[in-house]
Amino acid sequence: MQIAVIGWGSLIWCPDSLQITTKWSPDGPELPVEFARISRDGRLTLVIHPGSRKVKTYWALSAFGTIKDACENLRVREGTAAHLVDVLQASDNHDEEMPGSRNAVLAWLKGKRDLDAAIWTAIKSNWEERRGIAFSQDDAKRYLSELKCKRDDAVLSYDRACEYIQNAPEQIRTALRDLLEDSPDFEARKGGALLSESVPGPATGELGRSL
């Protein structure tokens, strides 16, 4: 079974323990992705966020031949719960009740004749939980400004937040990213190459978690 892993954030530049057998291809499904989740270390991380600008995502082929094993590998890489790894098979039918992102993935998958299934991280925004209001670009910018003001006490949080946004692949041009990078106050710290020239394999470490 050929299983595609769909990615848009730190999976691209830091596969870590994710086992894939190909380079990341930039012709994944178009999904509404935004920096709409606050991670444990204070970064703004990319998640599927209904209503946000749709961007072209990436995909790579999982090293595993079963959905169970491929999903477990992605779950471990993301450090999340099993129910937060979503999956569709090319044999599935369109369902009007499915969220728009699942229909978009299924339509894309059916157009890839060599793929049997697709998996991706289905972690949601926690903005309202963390900030008490619905996500907005203005409040995200305000959040980063607050981190910057506190940087004497939380330099690492602010730097990580800026670095994650700048490290995102260039084609992940979310509305918030455009807003921030056009601002003279935004300080980005770009680390490492975004796309490896070699085929990524198993890696170790604790970098790049979405949560």
Side-chain angles (χ1 to χ4, degrees):
M1 178 175 274
Q2 300 280 83
I3 303 168
V5 181
I6 300 172
W8 47 81
S10 62
L11 284 180
I12 310 303
W13 69 84
C14 183
D16 197 7
S17 59
L18 183 73
Q19 296 188 43
I20 51 179
T21 61
T22 65
K23 296 179 181 179
W24 288 99
S25 176
D27 62 338
E30 288 192 357
L31 298 175
V33 171
E34 187 52 276
F35 295 91
R37 184 177 177 86
I38 300 174
S39 68
R40 295 189 187 105
D41 61 10
R43 288 173 300 150
L44 297 185
T45 58
L46 288 160
V47 293
I48 293 177
H49 186 251
S52 290
R53 178 191 297 174
K54 292 183 180 180
V55 300
K56 184 75 78 172
T57 59
Y58 291 76
W59 71 277
L61 195 64
S62 173
F64 296 93
T66 68
I67 290 175
K68 179 180 178 181
D69 290 340
C71 286
E72 175 62 11
N73 180 232
L74 179 58
R75 183 200 70 76
V76 170
R77 158 55 177 82
E78 295 286 53
T80 192
H83 72 276
L84 293 177
V85 174
D86 214 341
V87 57
L88 281 171
Q89 296 189 60
S91 58
D92 290 338
N93 295 317
H94 283 278
D95 183 344
E96 292 181 359
E97 298 301 317
M98 285 199 308
S101 58
R102 285 176 58 82
N103 274 323
V105 172
L106 185 57
W108 171 83
L109 182 59
K110 287 182 178 295
K112 295 286 186 181
R113 294 185 178 181
D114 294 333
L115 296 178
D116 301 301
I119 63 173
W120 67 97
T121 307
I123 298 171
K124 299 180 180 179
S125 172
N126 62 350
W127 205 265
E128 194 161 345
E129 174 188 339
R130 295 290 298 270
R131 299 283 289 175
I133 58 175
F135 172 82
S136 69
Q137 294 173 44
D138 286 342
D139 194 54
K141 190 174 180 180
R142 189 178 304 117
Y143 168 76
L144 286 176
S145 294
E146 291 168 4
L147 282 185
K148 186 176 181 180
C149 290
K150 297 176 182 177
R151 65 181 307 173
D152 287 343
D153 298 322
V155 173
L156 185 59
S157 291
Y158 177 72
D159 288 354
R160 280 177 181 252
C162 291
E163 184 182 38
Y164 185 93
I165 293 170
Q166 186 66 9
N167 270 352
E170 181 58 30
Q171 77 179 33
I172 307 298
R173 302 302 314 178
T174 76
L176 176 61
R177 185 179 192 176
D178 284 346
L179 178 68
L180 292 173
E181 291 186 354
D182 285 342
S183 170
D185 296 328
F186 180 65
E187 297 180 32
R189 288 154 180 77
K190 191 170 183 177
L194 300 184
L195 298 177
S196 174
E197 290 300 321
S198 60
V199 176
T204 59
E206 293 300 325
L207 298 177
R209 290 291 186 267
S210 296
L211 290 176

